[in-house]
Amino acid sequence: MTETVNTQTPAIGYFTEENSVATVNARMGKDVEPRLATVMASLVKHLHHFVREVELTQAEWEYAVDFLTKTGQICSGERQEFILLSDTLGVSMLVDAINNRRPEGATENTVFGPFHVEGAPVREMGDKICLDGKGESCLFVGRVIDIDGRPIEGARIDVWSDNAEGYYDVQQPDIQPKWNNRGVFVTGADGHYSFVGIRPVSYPIPDDGPVGKMLASLGRHPYRPAHMHYMIRADGFQKLVTHTFVGGDTYLTSDAVFGVKKTLVAPFARVDGGDTLWRSDFDFVLVP
Ligand code: BEZ
Ligand code: FE
């Protein structure tokens, strides 16, 4: 029988460079929960393959351990550096894509991000969400509909965006009014929504920690293209977590967290003589 590197069952259990994957995975107990066993065995296999492929040096391994330690140390109730790491490596978007495959025509999901706050005020349709008086006003308008174009009544549309200086209210609790650029809107029988916010601006993700240092050393910028966040929930439909992006933004094709999808780039039209400077029309299509 020919032996294939790393797949032979280790007879004794001593670890060698050649049998590393099989030796580690053979330690797993017999009664491990099946999904956990599958995920961990695959993780070990790919990790070992990676270490072998790049022939990781001792110094590089120590650097990686130090990097992960610092990533953990900077985390707090308000700061989640590990999610930022996942976002900037494209893992968050890949998990999101795998878990939100939708039929053609349905609005696509994108990354949730760290700045959503549960409990934003429920506002009347047409209300203003921008409370700091900064930025260029924009009317956001459209419908929440099903895949056959029928309006969805009672959809809760939770929206949030940065202010004109590129910060969310929670990043500047002493500067911005509470709930600035946030609100919840509930659709009526016609499925229509409308609210007044600002034309969002592009902003850097928090880059003063290990992830920012990683981006800089990889020659990557930390910017996200301008966007409005939406989370839409309606009984009998899949939850939609998405953004609309401002067409023409400089960072549309280099989003630091890979969140842009072509179908989510929305029109932002200049309005002459209206109540707002801009208007953005977008319909959200939910799937059962
Ligand atoms: C955001 O769009 O709010 C965001 C998403 C991922 C990482 C950082 C910020
Ligand atoms: Fe954002």
Side-chain angles (χ1 to χ4, degrees):
M1 198 180 83
T2 44
E3 278 193 347
T4 317
V5 170
N6 257 320
T7 55
Q8 79 272 33
T9 306
I12 305 168
Y14 294 140
F15 185 102
T16 69
E17 184 179 333
E18 291 72 28
N19 76 9
S20 68
V21 173
T23 303
V24 172
N25 283 338
R27 284 295 161 84
M28 214 178 313
K30 293 282 166 267
D31 299 323
V32 177
E33 194 274 314
R35 178 65 182 165
L36 177 64
T38 303
V39 170
M40 288 307 294
S42 179
L43 178 66
V44 168
K45 180 175 85 179
H46 289 281
L47 261 180
H48 286 221
H49 281 188
F50 155 72
V51 170
R52 212 182 305 285
E53 184 176 301
V54 301
E55 297 223 324
L56 202 68
T57 67
Q58 192 71 28
E60 287 163 347
W61 176 82
E62 282 169 19
Y63 187 94
V65 170
D66 183 54
F67 173 82
L68 291 174
T69 303
K70 288 183 170 132
T71 299
Q73 282 167 341
I74 204 173
C75 288
S76 69
E78 290 75 47
R79 173 109 185 214
Q80 232 304 351
E81 194 78 357
F82 277 112
I83 294 185
L84 218 48
L85 180 60
S86 162
D87 294 343
T88 51
L89 292 178
V91 175
S92 306
M93 279 304 290
L94 183 56
V95 172
D96 189 76
I98 290 168
N99 285 278
N100 292 287
R101 294 183 185 122
R102 299 206 173 114
E104 179 105 14
T107 304
E108 296 188 273
N109 240 63
T110 190
V111 65
F112 188 47
F115 296 125
H116 175 259
V117 182
E118 200 59 62
V122 178
R123 304 187 195 277
E124 294 295 317
M125 285 301 172
D127 271 0
K128 234 168 121 164
I129 59 168
C130 174
L131 310 178
D132 65 359
K134 294 178 182 164
E136 299 186 347
S137 60
C138 180
L139 174 68
F140 292 82
V141 61
R143 288 182 311 153
V144 182
I145 52 178
D146 69 14
I147 200 89
D148 298 315
R150 289 181 296 242
I152 298 177
E153 183 176 3
R156 284 177 70 86
I157 310 176
D158 198 335
V159 303
W160 65 106
S161 83
D162 57 344
N163 77 348
E165 279 143 19
Y167 294 101
Y168 288 85
D169 57 352
V170 287
Q171 293 176 288
Q172 297 186 313
D174 300 329
I175 298 174
Q176 294 190 38
K178 196 168 166 64
W179 306 118
N180 192 27
N181 292 304
R182 295 177 191 273
V184 174
F185 298 86
V186 182
T187 56
D190 61 3
H192 275 275
Y193 74 87
S194 66
F195 63 93
V196 175
I198 59 161
R199 187 180 196 265
V201 300
S202 49
Y203 64 85
I205 61 170
D207 65 343
D208 56 343
V211 170
K213 199 171 159 202
M214 176 190 82
L215 292 180
S217 54
L218 293 175
R220 285 175 55 180
H221 69 71
Y223 280 84
R224 296 216 64 206
H227 56 272
M228 175 63 74
H229 288 263
Y230 294 85
M231 175 160 66
I232 306 183
R233 288 172 278 199
D235 286 346
F237 293 90
Q238 288 174 27
K239 178 170 79 175
L240 173 65
V241 173
T242 198
H243 318 342
T244 58
F245 292 91
V246 179
D249 190 282
T250 321
Y251 300 109
L252 275 181
T253 52
S254 66
D255 183 359
V257 303
F258 307 97
V260 183
K261 290 177 176 173
K262 215 170 151 187
T263 58
L264 300 178
V265 179
F268 279 75
R270 185 90 191 192
V271 184
D272 287 325
D275 291 338
T276 58
L277 269 178
W278 298 91
R279 175 185 168 118
S280 182
D281 288 73
F282 199 88
D283 287 345
F284 296 95
V285 182
L286 306 193
V287 286

